[in-house]
Structures are given as structure tokens and as C-alpha cells.
């Protein structure tokens, strides 16, 4: 009864295990739905093919802000991709000024286009944002649609940004980072976000939660993220899992219920 709202199943580092085994391991730990995220024109078909193989996997389509040059997707391509089977969201898109300032303009252009196409397709948006608070919020306000808003995934910004995004209908998704020892500011955000706006994710294969920090992450570890946050929110694990799962299906309302 848990959902991993953001994972990169085509990039997991599984050693000699298969993807089917990783998805089964997740199911055994109560993770019964996974949203597999595309990052560029180069991996979108792999993501769609995985979603086609497993009933509990949904897909998003889009180009990550750090892939907008080599992995760019045109407006026409994106619109066509939104109509493919198993697609429940547009993204990940957004702005990331942490790694590079060089591509700011092209990132903004791509983000605006993704927001616009998502509105046209009636799909929610999976937004990646880092060190770009004002521009992210401005573009959502300008090009986003409140009735098919989206999620700020792997959220690492502050309470003020979370509040502004929620005011525009957005959800906040937390990853294993919230379990890290130095993440007090993020735990403050976690306490602030109301239970009807919170999602959980792994962002696997990156950012494994404590006690797996530094190891390759995989969807089953969303359980550790959820257990940690349930404690923080002073809820039972079951109540926390149920709330965040309801949130997922409310936002991604085209996802097939496999929980
Ligand atoms: Zn991301
Ligand atoms: Zn991601």
C-alpha cells in the first residue's frame, strides 16, 4: 500500500538481479505502484517499454533540465508522447541551476513548454527544481494549470517555496534525503507540509535513505522513507502509507490502481 512516486527503473544498479526481482522485492515490502520517470528523448522509449511490461508501473514523459540540450524533446514529440499507453504525467522537467548556469535560458524555455503541453494534455507535471526557486515558481504561475498541477519532486528547498507551490495546487514529494543526518531544514519542511499534500519517492538509483545511504537505491527503500516520515508526523506507518497513496492517485489520476 505504498507508492514510489519517482524512480528511474531503466537506470537501477542491480548487479546480477533482474528488474523483475527488484519490482517483486518492492511488492513484498508493500510498494505496489511505481512511477517511472523519463529524463530525455534518449530514454523515454525504455521507460514506456518498462511501463508496458509491469501493470504496477506508470510512466512520465519529458526532458530533465540537465538533459535539455542533448536529450531535448520538441513540443510535437511531447504532445504525441502524452497519448501513449501508461503515461500519467509530464516530466521530469524543471530548472536546475546548481550544476550549471550556462543552460538557464534553454531550461526555462523547455520548462515553459512542458507546463504548457501538460495543461493541453490534462496531465500533472513532475518538476525537478534546484537553486532556482523564483524562476520555478514564476514559470509555474505563468504556464501551469491549477486543475492539473503537479509535484515538486525530491524537494530540498525551504518552507516558503513549499507554501507557494502548494498555493498553486502542487504536491511536495520527499526522498531519502529527509533521513540524512544533516537534513534538519528539510525535516522542518516535512513537518510543515500537510498530510494531504505529501508524496514519497526514492528517486532511485540515487539518494538511498539511511541505513542504505551511499549504496544504490531501489524502489523497495521507499519503505524506509515512509517509515521515517510516519514517525516524524507522529502517525502509524499504515495511516501514513494510506494518506500518501491516496494523494498519489488523486494527483496522477490516470494511474491504474494496483494498490
Ligand atoms: Zn529530479
Ligand atoms: Zn528523477
Amino acid at each position: 500500500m505504498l507508492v514510489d512516486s519517482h524512480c528511474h527503473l531503466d537506470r537501477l544498479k542491480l548487479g546480477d538481479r533482474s528488474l523483475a526481482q527488484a519490482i517483486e522485492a518492492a511488492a513484498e515490502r508493500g510498494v505496489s505502484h511505481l512511477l517511472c520517470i523519463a529524463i530525455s528523448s534518449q530514454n523515454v522509449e525504455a521507460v514506456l517499454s518498462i511501463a508496458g511490461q509491469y501493470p504496477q508501473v506508470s510512466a512520465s514523459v519529458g526532458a530533465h533540465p540537465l538533459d535539455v540540450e542533448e536529450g531535448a524533446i520538441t513540443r510535437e514529440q511531447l504532445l504525441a508522447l502524452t497519448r501513449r499507453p501508461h503515461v500519467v504525467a509530464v516530466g521530469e522537467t524543471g530548472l536546475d541551476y546548481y550544476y550549471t548556469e550556462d543552460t538557464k535560458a534553454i531550461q526555462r524555455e523547455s520548462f515553459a513548454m512542458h507546463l504548457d503541453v501538460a495543461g493541453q494534455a490534462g496531465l500533472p507535471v513532475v518538476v525537478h527544481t534546484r537553486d532556482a526557486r523564483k524562476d520555478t515558481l514564476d514559470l509555474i504561475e505563468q504556464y501551469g494549470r491549477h486543475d492539473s498541477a503537479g509535484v515538486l519532486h525530491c524537494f530540498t528547498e525551504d518552507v516558503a517555496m513549499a507554501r507557494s507551490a502548494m498555493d498553486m495546487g502542487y504536491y511536495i514529494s520527499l526522498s531519502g534525503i529527509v533521513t540524512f543526518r544533516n537534513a534538519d531544514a528539510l525535516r522542518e519542511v516535512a513537518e510543515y507540509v500537510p498530510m494531504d499534500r505529501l508524496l514519497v519517492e526514492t528517486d532511485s538509483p540515487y539518494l538511498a535513505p539511511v541505513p542504505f545511504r551511499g549504496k544504490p537505491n531501489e524502489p523497495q527503500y521507499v519503505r524506509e522513507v515512509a517509515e521515517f516520515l510516519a514517525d516524524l508526523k507522529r502517525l502509524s506507518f499504515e495511516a501514513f502509507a494510506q494518506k500518501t497513496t491516496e494523494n498519489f492517485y488523486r494527483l496522477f489520476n490516470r494511474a491504474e490502481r494496483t494498490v
Side-chain angles (χ1 to χ4, degrees):
M1 56 169 324
L2 261 180
V3 177
D4 184 355
S5 75
H6 190 114
C7 52
H8 298 277
L9 298 178
D10 57 317
R11 306 164 77 96
L12 297 185
K13 297 175 180 70
L14 296 167
D16 49 14
R17 291 158 64 234
S18 66
L19 177 58
Q21 286 172 311
I23 290 175
E24 182 52 34
E28 276 166 19
R29 300 193 68 214
V31 187
S32 43
H33 202 91
L34 307 96
L35 178 50
C36 183
I37 307 287
I39 55 163
S40 76
S41 57
Q42 286 147 17
N43 93 325
V44 69
E45 289 300 333
V47 164
L48 290 171
S49 149
I50 291 170
Q53 286 165 53
Y54 301 93
Q56 67 270 59
V57 177
S58 300
S60 78
V61 290
H64 189 287
L66 298 174
D67 289 276
V68 285
E69 285 180 308
E70 280 160 31
I73 295 177
T74 66
R75 170 182 293 271
E76 291 68 32
Q77 285 170 333
L78 186 59
L79 198 56
L81 284 165
T82 62
R83 301 190 186 110
R84 299 276 297 273
H86 316 294
V87 172
V88 303
V90 167
E92 56 182 301
T93 177
L95 303 173
D96 191 324
Y97 297 166
Y98 178 81
Y99 290 103
T100 174
E101 299 239 325
D102 305 347
T103 58
K104 270 182 168 181
I106 170 168
Q107 285 188 35
R108 280 196 293 261
E109 201 180 307
S110 172
F111 185 29
M113 185 275 281
H114 279 71
L115 287 165
D116 196 46
V117 167
Q120 211 177 321
L123 287 175
V125 190
V126 176
V127 176
H128 170 112
T129 178
R130 194 165 181 197
D131 281 3
R133 290 176 189 172
K134 187 175 183 310
D135 285 3
T136 300
L137 293 169
D138 285 353
L139 285 173
I140 289 174
E141 185 162 35
Q142 201 179 337
Y143 296 96
R145 273 203 356 200
H146 286 219
D147 54 345
S148 58
V151 57
L152 299 187
H153 105 89
C154 195
F155 191 80
T156 52
E157 306 297 330
D158 61 3
V159 165
M161 178 163 191
R163 185 190 303 130
S164 303
M166 287 192 293
D167 284 347
M168 293 191 287
Y170 269 66
Y171 289 68
I172 303 296
S173 180
L174 296 174
S175 69
I177 295 178
V178 77
T179 69
F180 294 177
R181 202 168 14 152
N182 57 357
D184 284 335
L186 192 55
R187 283 186 278 275
E188 208 178 296
V189 172
E191 294 204 59
Y192 171 76
V193 175
M195 271 316 295
D196 61 356
R197 288 302 187 88
L198 195 60
L199 297 178
V200 283
E201 65 173 83
T202 57
D203 205 6
S204 49
Y206 319 105
L207 301 165
V210 171
F212 307 106
R213 188 172 180 181
K215 303 209 173 96
N217 198 3
E218 56 180 281
Q220 62 165 309
Y221 299 147
V222 78
R223 172 115 197 176
E224 274 66 29
V225 179
E227 282 173 352
F228 182 92
L229 283 166
D231 272 355
L232 191 79
K233 297 291 237 180
R234 290 171 286 279
L235 288 173
S236 69
F237 171 74
E238 289 71 23
F240 181 89
Q242 192 192 338
K243 274 281 185 195
T244 51
T245 296
E246 277 169 21
N247 295 344
F248 177 85
Y249 285 110
R250 194 183 317 114
L251 177 62
F252 299 106
N253 57 27
R254 280 198 210 168
E256 210 172 304
R257 273 199 179 256
T258 52
V259 173

